[in-house]
Amino acid sequence: MKALVCNTPGEFGYINKEIPFVEEGMVLLRMKRLGICGTDYHAFEGTQPFFEYPRILGHEIAAEVVNAGTSSDFKPGDLVTVSPYFSCGTCIACRSGRTNCCVNIKVFGVHIDGAMQEYITVPASAIVSGEGLTVDELALVEPLAIGAHGVSLAQLNKGDTVVILGAGPIGLGTIAFAKISGAKVIVIDVNDNRLSFCRERFGIAHTINPLKEDPLEQLSLITNGEFAKVVIDCTGNLTAINNAFRFLAHTGKFIMIGLQKGTIEVVHPEFHKREAVLMSSRNALPHDFAYVIDCIRKGLIKPLDFVTHTVSFMQVKEQFNQLLTANESLIKALILFDE
C-alpha cells in the first residue's frame, strides 16, 4: 500500500509499505476520506507543538472496516470514523474519565503515525459507528467534536453572549454548537469570506473583522458595554488570544481550543477583577462524538457545507502547498482515497 510521510517541515514523500497486520484488539480499516486539519498544516509548516519527524499525518477519518478480528462488534464493509486519541487508561486524567487529556496520550497523526495511508489499524475501542452518515460527513465528525467539546466546557445558558475567535473549520463547528445551545454568537475573523459564510449559513447577526474595525468598540456597542460571558479562541494565534482578554465580561470564561507555542500575556488586575476563568479545551470525549453524530442525523448541523476543496490521495504531495496558501477560499479540504 501507499503512505504519505512528512519527512521534515515542508517535505512530503510517498512510500510503499506492507498492509498492517491485525493484532488482537485492533481493527484493519481501508481509508475512504481524510479531513486535512489545522494540525496537519502546522505540522507541515513546522509550527505544531508535540511533534516529531518523520510522521504520517492525519486523524479526521472516514473508513471502511476490512478485518475486525474477534474482539469487535463491527463487520467488514461497515463505515466508521475513529476517535484518534489513544489513552493509557490508568493516569490521573483517565481515572477521572478525562481520557482526552491523558498524561500519556498518543494522538493518531501527531504522536504516532496517522491516516495519510491507504490502510490503518486502530484499537477496536476507538472506532465509532457511522451508521446513517456518508463518508464525507464521517470525515467531519472529529473536528466537529473538538468544537462540541469546547462549547460543553463553556456551560452556556440560553442568551449568553459568546465571542468566537476564528471561523475556520474548528471555529465553524464551535459556532454551530454554540448556536444550538441558544447562545448569542459574535464571530471575529480577519477573513471576510469566512465572515460572510457565518452570516449566510449560520445566521450570525454580528461579525467583526479586526483589520477593519475596532473589536473592543464594536463589542461594547453590541453588548451594551457588558462584553462576552464566554470567549472561545479557535485561532491558535497569540496576538488574537492576548487581545481577547479585553472582551471578557465580569465573571466571564475564556476557553482556548486553538493551540500555539508562545507565552500568553494576562494583565492580572484586569483578569482578577472579573473573577474570570481561563480554560484549555483539548481533543474530545466519546460523548462529544455521539452528540455530533446525533446532531448530524437530526439535521441540526450540515458538515458538507464546510467542504470547499477535495484532493485525491496521490495528489496530496503536489497540491498541499496550494491548500496551505488558499486562505481566502479554503474552509475544509478532504482527501479522497477512492479516486
Side-chain angles (χ1 to χ4, degrees):
M1 69 169 187
K2 292 285 188 182
L4 181 61
V5 182
C6 186
N7 293 306
T8 61
E11 182 192 329
F12 272 133
Y14 288 99
I15 62 170
N16 292 307
K17 57 183 293 192
E18 294 293 324
I19 294 175
F21 175 76
V22 184
E23 299 178 358
E24 184 67 24
M26 303 292 283
V27 176
L28 178 66
L29 303 176
R30 177 186 294 113
M31 288 297 302
K32 302 290 285 184
R33 298 287 189 274
L34 180 66
I36 301 178
C37 176
T39 298
D40 302 321
Y41 293 119
H42 297 153
F44 186 75
E45 291 176 312
T47 58
Q48 174 62 32
F50 317 131
F51 211 84
E52 296 179 356
Y53 302 86
R55 179 67 69 224
I56 296 174
L57 310 180
H59 60 270
E60 299 179 357
I61 294 165
E64 178 184 17
V65 175
V66 176
N67 184 345
T70 60
S71 57
S72 172
D73 295 330
F74 295 95
K75 62 183 186 301
D78 285 348
L79 294 179
V80 299
T81 187
V82 173
S83 176
Y85 330 116
F86 305 151
S87 55
C88 71
T90 60
C91 72
I92 187 170
C94 289
R95 294 198 308 273
S96 63
R98 305 278 290 279
T99 54
N100 60 309
C101 50
C102 166
V103 174
N104 305 301
I105 200 166
K106 302 295 183 186
V107 178
F108 209 49
V110 178
H111 305 97
I112 58 175
D113 283 343
M116 281 193 191
Q117 46 189 327
E118 293 176 302
Y119 292 84
I120 58 174
T121 55
V122 298
S125 59
I127 294 180
V128 180
S129 173
E131 184 177 356
L133 274 64
T134 68
V135 289
D136 291 337
E137 289 172 331
L138 277 170
L140 274 292
V141 169
E142 191 274 342
L144 288 172
I146 298 291
H149 184 70
V151 170
S152 73
L153 295 177
Q155 298 178 312
L156 294 172
N157 295 310
K158 187 174 181 179
D160 283 347
T161 298
V162 181
V163 169
I164 296 176
L165 311 175
I170 300 298
L172 290 173
T174 305
I175 291 163
F177 293 114
K179 284 272 291 183
I180 290 169
S181 76
K184 177 183 177 181
V185 179
I186 303 166
V187 179
I188 299 179
D189 198 291
V190 297
N191 185 321
D192 282 332
N193 286 342
R194 290 183 174 181
L195 294 178
S196 295
F197 185 95
C198 292
R199 293 191 296 270
E200 294 166 6
R201 299 293 181 93
F202 290 115
I204 301 298
H206 299 289
T207 61
I208 300 169
N209 185 332
L211 299 181
K212 298 182 177 180
E213 50 193 341
D214 183 343
L216 194 66
E217 180 181 300
Q218 290 301 310
L219 287 172
S220 182
L221 290 171
I222 294 166
T223 65
N224 295 317
E226 291 190 337
F227 295 96
K229 187 70 174 178
V230 176
V231 174
I232 305 179
D233 176 71
C234 301
T235 67
N237 179 281
L238 185 59
T239 300
I241 291 169
N242 286 339
N243 286 337
F245 284 98
R246 302 176 301 157
F247 305 158
L248 276 176
H250 282 239
T251 74
K253 183 181 291 186
F254 195 136
I255 297 172
M256 295 186 297
I257 298 177
L259 178 65
Q260 48 74 45
K261 287 184 173 182
T263 300
I264 296 168
E265 295 180 356
V266 180
V267 178
H268 191 183
E270 290 297 317
F271 189 77
H272 193 97
K273 74 182 183 183
R274 288 168 168 79
E275 199 171 48
V277 174
L278 177 61
M279 299 183 71
S280 60
S281 176
R282 189 178 187 193
N283 302 324
L285 288 163
H287 66 78
D288 299 310
F289 280 76
Y291 176 61
V292 168
I293 290 171
D294 184 57
C295 286
I296 295 172
R297 287 174 178 156
K298 291 177 177 176
L300 297 176
I301 188 167
K302 298 179 180 179
L304 299 190
D305 286 349
F306 301 173
V307 179
T308 55
H309 293 66
T310 60
V311 56
S312 69
F313 175 58
M314 293 307 297
Q315 295 297 314
V316 174
K317 177 182 176 180
E318 178 183 332
Q319 296 186 22
F320 200 82
N321 265 319
Q322 297 172 35
L323 296 173
L324 188 63
T325 56
N327 292 328
E328 286 300 312
S329 60
L330 178 69
I331 295 178
K332 171 60 70 173
L334 291 185
I335 297 172
L336 314 181
F337 284 81
D338 48 8
E339 293 190 4

